[in-house]
Amino acid sequence: MSESLKVAPLKIAELGNPVLRAPAASIDHIHDPAIQKLIDDLIDTAIKTNGVGIAAPQVFQSLQLFIVASRPNLRYLHAPTMKPTPMINPQLVALSDEKVSGWEGCLSVPGICGQVARSREIEIRYTDRHGKSQQKVFTDFVARIIQHEFDHINGKVFLDRVESTFDLMSDAEYHTQIVCG
Ligand code: ZN
C-alpha cells in the first residue's frame, strides 16, 4: 500500500469558523516531525480535493504555511503545472500596481465563486520545507493563488476582496455560464 493511500484528506474548516479569521502564528521549528507531516497532509489534501492551493488555517492549524499547486483547470485552462510547493512564514515583498480580475473559489467557501482583482505580479520571500530561505517572483495565475493563500494566513478570505456582491456566483451557475477562465 502506498503512503498516499494511508492518508485521508484533512477536514476542511468552512466560512464562519473562527480559525479562518485569526492571524496565523509563524513556525519556529520547521524540522519538527509534526510540521513535516502537516506539510505532507496539506499536499495530499490539495491533490485529493483538486485544489490549486491550501493554507494551514483551512485545516484548523493556525500556522503561517500554505501549499501552492498550480495546474491547468476549468477556470484557468493555461495555468502552469508546478510541483506542490510549501511556503512557510511567507512575506509579500512586492505587489505590482497592475491588477487583473479573475474568478476564484475556495475549499472553505463551498459552492461559491467570485471575481477578484489581484496584482498581476508578486515577489515573495518564504522558508522552504528544508529550512532554506527563498525569494521568487510569480505572475498571473500562480501570483493569484499566492495572494489568495497569503490572505488565509492573515484571517482573510476571497469574499473580503470582491468589489460587489454582484461579482459572486454559485459554482453551478459559474460552470454553466463561463466557458473558460
Ligand atoms: Zn481559499
Side-chain angles (χ1 to χ4, degrees):
M1 187 189 250
S2 76
E3 191 60 33
S4 64
L5 288 174
K6 286 189 245 167
V7 182
L10 299 170
K11 188 172 171 350
I12 302 291
E14 295 189 357
L15 187 67
N17 194 293
V19 73
L20 294 174
R21 292 315 201 167
S26 64
I27 296 174
D28 296 329
H29 303 291
I30 288 164
H31 298 288
D32 181 335
I35 295 295
Q36 293 292 323
K37 182 174 187 316
L38 175 60
I39 292 169
D40 288 336
D41 287 349
L42 281 168
I43 291 172
D44 190 67
T45 302
I47 291 168
K48 286 186 174 150
T49 55
N50 287 318
V52 292
I54 188 168
Q58 292 183 272
V59 298
F60 301 91
Q61 300 293 322
S62 193
L63 295 168
Q64 293 179 20
L65 158 66
F66 55 73
I67 310 296
V68 182
S70 171
R71 63 177 176 283
N73 58 82
L74 280 176
R75 288 183 186 135
Y76 296 90
L77 296 172
H78 305 292
T81 299
M82 62 190 276
K83 190 165 175 264
T85 303
M87 297 184 179
I88 299 158
N89 301 337
Q91 291 173 278
L92 285 176
V93 295
L95 291 150
S96 69
D97 289 336
E98 184 192 355
K99 296 201 172 178
V100 280
S101 197
W103 288 93
E104 296 183 15
C106 181
L107 291 171
S108 296
V109 187
I112 298 282
C113 54
Q115 203 164 22
V116 184
R118 300 277 192 190
S119 291
R120 198 184 77 78
E121 184 176 286
I122 58 112
E123 184 168 8
I124 189 168
R125 187 187 300 140
Y126 65 94
T127 304
D128 69 19
R129 70 180 302 170
H130 308 294
K132 197 172 163 219
S133 182
Q134 305 277 351
Q135 187 155 337
K136 293 183 180 170
V137 172
F138 294 95
T139 58
D140 300 309
F141 184 60
V142 182
R144 175 174 298 280
I145 297 171
I146 289 170
Q147 290 169 84
H148 178 117
E149 302 310 332
F150 189 80
D151 275 353
H152 275 305
I153 63 169
N154 289 287
K156 289 198 175 78
V157 296
F158 78 89
L159 297 173
D160 306 326
R161 302 275 187 194
V162 298
E163 280 177 23
S164 155
T165 49
F166 286 79
D167 293 332
L168 298 173
M169 247 197 230
S170 79
D171 276 344
E173 258 321 299
Y174 176 87
H175 289 297
T176 306
Q177 293 187 25
I178 313 283
V179 179
C180 63

